[in-house]
Amino acid sequence: MPQYWFTLSVVILTAACGAGDHAPDTSYGVTTRDSAGITIVTSSRAATESPLAWRVPSEPRVTLGADPTDPAGQFHRIRGAAVLADGTLAVLDGATLELRLFNPDGTHRRTVGGAGDGPGEFRQPHLVPGRGSDAVVIYDRQRARLTAVAADGQVMAVRTVDLPPRERNAELLGLLPDGKLVFRRTVGYVGLPVGVWEAESVAFVLVDSAGRAHTVASPVGRRMYYTEHDELGQQGMLDVPFDIEPAAAASARGLFLTMDERADVHAYDATGTLRRILRLSIPPRVRTPELVAEYYRLYTPKGITPWYREQQSRIPAPEVLPLIDRLVVDDLGLLWARRYDVDPADQGLWFVFDPEGACQGTVRLPAHLEVEQIGADFVLGIRRDAFDVEQVDLYDLQREPAI
C-alpha cells in the first residue's frame, strides 16, 4: 500500500488549518512583539475575562453508555473517542480493545478490533487525537503500529513505526502533515532520600518517517514527595499539591505546550522550532492554607492512617497555582486552554485563542466532561457517573459570532 505516512497524516489532519482565514480581534488590547525571532503575543486581562457568546446546552445531544442493557455501550477504560466527518461516533474501549462505531443518533453500528496481532487488532492502543477526518487513527504502543479505520469499520492502512528505543513506550500525541509523529516521553521516578521531591523526566519529541528523533522541549514534569519508610520498611510517594503535568496538543502547525508554572503556552512549528509564546495577563493565584486544605479534602484517600497524614503535612506545596492544565486544538485549528481549578466541579472554563495566538475570550464547558474533541458545532467528551461508570457525551456548540 503506497505512502502510508502521507495517507495516515491526511486521515488525521484533514481540514487542519481551516481557521487560518480569520483575522485576530485586538479589541481587548492584545499586544505582539518579537524577541530573538520569537513572537510573543500577550492578551490583556480584559480579553481573558470576557466570555464569548458561544453556548453549550446543559444537556448532551447524544449519550453513549446510558443504557446498561446495551453491551456495545458498556465501556471500561476508554482510550479515546472521536466524531468523524460523516457524524459517526467512534469509541476505543480499553478493556476489550474494541473500536465501537455508532450512528450520529447514538445507535450502535459496528464493533471491530479486539486483542491480537493481526491487522485491525490491538495490544495497547489509544486513539490519536484527530480533527474531523473520515477515519480514526489508532496507535498501538506495544506494537509501535498505526492503524487507520474508516467509518464503516474497514481498515484503510496499517504502518509499523520505526522508533528509537527511548520512544518505544512514549505516548503519541498526533501526526503532522509532513508525516512526523509527536510523542510525549515520560521517565518514572527513582528512589530518593526522605523529603526530596523531584520532577519526573518529560520530553516532547518529533520522530520522522526514517525513525530520527528530535527533542522539542523538556519542561518540568510532575513532582512527587518521598516519605519516610513505614513500619514495613517501605518508602511511599505522595502527590505534591497543585502540581500537574505539562499540557500539550499537536496541531497542523506543530505543537502547543505549557511551560514553567503553566502560565504561558509555547507554540512550536513542524521542525520543533519555538515560534510563538502565548501569554495571558492574569495575576498568579497564590497558595493559601485554605486552598491546601481544600486540595487534601478532595484528593486524600479515605481511611488513611495518622502516619500518612503526618507525612502529608511535610510536603512543601508550590507558592503559586498553575494557570492551565489542558490544551485542545479544535477542528477549526483554534487552541483551547482549560483553566486549572482545585475542585474538579469548577474545571470548565476554557480560554480560546485565534490562529495568531490572541485570546478571544472564554467559554464554559461542562465541568465533568473530559474533552476529547471540539468540532465546528459540537463538543465530545468522556464523563464518569457517581458509580465511576464511563459514558461518552456529545454536546451541541453554538459559535456565534465566529472568530
Side-chain angles (χ1 to χ4, degrees):
M1 190 172 293
Q3 299 188 22
Y4 288 123
W5 283 94
F6 175 79
T7 301
L8 288 166
S9 296
V10 170
V11 162
I12 195 169
L13 290 171
T14 299
C17 291
D21 296 332
H22 299 289
D25 181 357
T26 59
S27 59
Y28 289 119
V30 174
T31 60
T32 303
R33 64 184 178 90
D34 288 333
S35 176
I38 300 170
T39 301
I40 301 176
V41 183
T42 303
S43 299
S44 69
R45 187 169 182 177
T48 64
E49 294 178 348
S50 301
L52 291 168
W54 300 358
R55 293 291 179 266
V56 175
S58 58
E59 297 296 326
R61 184 205 322 165
V62 175
T63 294
L64 306 178
D67 183 0
T69 65
D70 180 11
Q74 295 177 10
F75 305 116
H76 185 51
R77 300 200 308 271
I78 294 175
R79 302 289 181 85
V83 179
L84 303 188
D86 66 352
T88 297
L89 301 168
V91 181
L92 181 60
D93 186 75
T96 62
L97 307 184
E98 295 173 342
L99 179 66
R100 300 177 189 172
L101 302 170
F102 299 84
N103 296 311
D105 63 0
T107 55
H108 180 241
R109 179 190 302 166
R110 187 178 180 188
T111 294
V112 297
D117 298 316
E121 297 176 332
F122 312 106
R123 291 295 182 183
Q124 194 180 359
H126 76 264
L127 195 149
V128 182
R131 304 217 293 276
S133 63
D134 57 0
V136 295
V137 174
I138 297 169
Y139 178 66
D140 191 331
R141 186 181 298 188
Q142 182 173 321
R143 306 286 299 175
R145 187 168 67 184
L146 289 163
T147 302
V149 181
D152 62 1
Q154 296 297 315
V155 174
M156 296 175 60
V158 178
R159 167 77 181 191
T160 298
V161 182
D162 184 15
L163 289 178
R166 296 181 69 187
E167 271 57 70
R168 287 177 185 167
N169 199 38
E171 175 192 2
L172 180 61
L173 299 178
L175 285 162
L176 302 185
D178 63 0
K180 293 189 183 77
L181 296 97
V182 185
F183 284 96
R184 183 208 312 260
R185 182 181 70 234
T186 303
V187 178
Y189 306 91
V190 295
L192 293 172
V194 173
V196 176
W197 51 301
E198 293 287 344
E200 62 186 355
S201 173
V202 179
F204 293 87
V205 182
L206 296 177
V207 178
D208 65 20
S209 57
R212 294 184 294 262
H214 168 64
T215 299
V216 175
S218 298
V220 175
R222 193 166 59 93
R223 289 163 284 199
M224 301 293 287
Y225 179 82
Y226 290 82
T227 70
E228 295 178 342
H229 291 79
D230 61 18
E231 61 274 12
L232 300 178
Q234 297 178 337
Q235 186 182 33
M237 292 188 300
L238 303 180
D239 290 330
V240 173
F242 320 125
D243 202 66
I244 59 176
E245 296 181 350
S251 74
R253 298 182 179 185
L255 175 70
F256 291 107
L257 179 64
T258 57
M259 303 288 286
D260 302 326
E261 286 79 21
R262 323 291 185 247
D264 293 344
V265 178
H266 288 201
Y268 298 85
D269 65 17
T271 69
T273 302
L274 178 62
R275 294 299 185 188
R276 291 177 184 268
I277 295 176
L278 316 184
R279 182 163 293 164
L280 300 176
S281 300
I282 298 177
R285 288 178 291 174
V286 179
R287 180 198 72 203
T288 64
E290 293 76 17
L291 283 171
V292 174
E294 177 72 356
Y295 177 90
Y296 283 128
R297 182 186 71 81
L298 291 167
Y299 299 106
T300 298
K302 295 180 180 179
I304 65 170
T305 64
W307 178 89
Y308 184 102
R309 286 196 181 277
E310 196 277 330
Q311 294 291 312
Q312 201 176 58
S313 68
R314 302 183 183 184
I315 301 174
E319 292 295 327
V320 298
L321 275 63
L323 175 62
I324 294 169
D325 69 352
R326 183 82 194 281
L327 297 175
V328 173
V329 177
D330 70 17
D331 288 5
L332 302 181
L334 303 182
L335 175 68
W336 296 54
R338 187 176 69 181
R339 186 186 70 182
Y340 170 81
D341 284 288
V342 177
D343 190 341
D346 298 328
Q347 291 180 347
L349 188 69
W350 293 74
F351 305 103
V352 181
F353 297 83
D354 68 19
E356 303 306 315
C359 179
Q360 296 296 298
T362 61
V363 177
R364 185 163 290 279
L365 301 182
H368 61 264
L369 198 68
E370 190 63 24
V371 174
E372 290 288 305
Q373 183 182 355
I374 302 174
D377 59 0
F378 69 83
V379 176
L380 180 74
I382 301 167
R383 67 178 171 90
R384 290 168 174 80
D385 64 17
F387 301 100
D388 206 33
V389 176
E390 292 175 306
Q391 298 180 350
V392 177
D393 286 339
L394 179 68
Y395 286 85
D396 290 318
L397 172 61
Q398 301 168 2
R399 299 190 193 228
E400 294 293 340
I403 291 178

